Amino acid sequence: MTDSSTTPAGLRTGTWVLDPAGSSVRLTHKTMWGAATVKGAFATVAGSGELAPDGAAHGTLTIEAASLDTGNTQRDTHLKSAELFDAAAHPAIVFTAGRVTADAEGALAVDGELTVRGTTRPLALTGRADTDSPDAVVLTVEAVVDRADFGLTWNRLGMIKGPATISVVARFTHGG
């Protein structure tokens, strides 16, 4: 059963569900020795969370690895292959938020774990929480991730430099 009371910030407690149409997960990464930037988006995302009466929150964001689209079919096929994301063996990229806090101005801190290609690492995010209504909130965060931490080490001729940046806009609605 879902509690329908509200937190001091005005959001309803209980279960929240990701609105895929109002959400996005984007990736940017330098290639060609830093001379070019590859940009892409994951088309399929899902998630849910829970907000307790004391304001404590936690949740999960699941991204379908095979839904990555960079606008280049050959590159996308390679990114999804066993050399990189290995989407056939590891179809989901999962971020589990163990602790989510937001202050009165909307500054957001998220502590959790990211699992990519079967490897889980801690990840702390910062961003913003904007309330559309007591029944809708948009979380906007950005993370810098070292792909090697997750076994994505393919790098022909050293062309791929530095970490990837992941940008997330996650719109959650109250689950009723």
Side-chain angles (χ1 to χ4, degrees), residues 28 124-127 140-144 165-168:
T28 56
L125 308 170
T126 58
T140 305
V141 295
E142 191 170 275
V144 176
T165 301
I166 310 298
S167 302
V168 178

Side-chain angles (χ1 to χ4, degrees), residues 31-157:
T31 64
M32 303 298 290
W33 304 280
T37 300
V38 171
K39 297 178 180 180
F42 292 92
T44 306
V45 296
S48 64
E50 188 170 339
L51 181 61
D54 67 359
H58 65 277
T60 302
L61 177 67
T62 303
I63 303 159
E64 184 181 301
S67 73
L68 179 60
D69 181 4
T70 66
N72 179 308
T73 303
Q74 184 177 0
R75 177 176 47 224
D76 294 344
T77 298
H78 185 236
L79 286 168
K80 297 169 194 178
S81 77
E83 288 186 326
L84 291 161
F85 282 110
D86 197 5
H90 305 283
I93 298 168
V94 179
F95 179 73
T96 303
R99 184 169 181 261
V100 181
T101 58
D103 67 17
E105 289 79 42
L108 183 67
V110 183
D111 293 318
E113 295 182 326
L114 178 64
T115 302
V116 179
R117 208 180 144 117
T119 300
T120 302
R121 299 276 188 258
L123 185 63
L125 308 170
T126 58
R128 291 204 43 78
D130 295 303
T131 306
D132 286 349
S133 72
D135 292 325
V137 64
V138 177
L139 310 178
T140 305
V141 295
E142 191 170 275
V144 176
V145 178
D146 184 345
R147 64 190 185 86
D149 288 346
F150 298 95
L152 284 86
T153 56
W154 181 91
N155 192 4
R156 179 171 287 157
L157 303 174

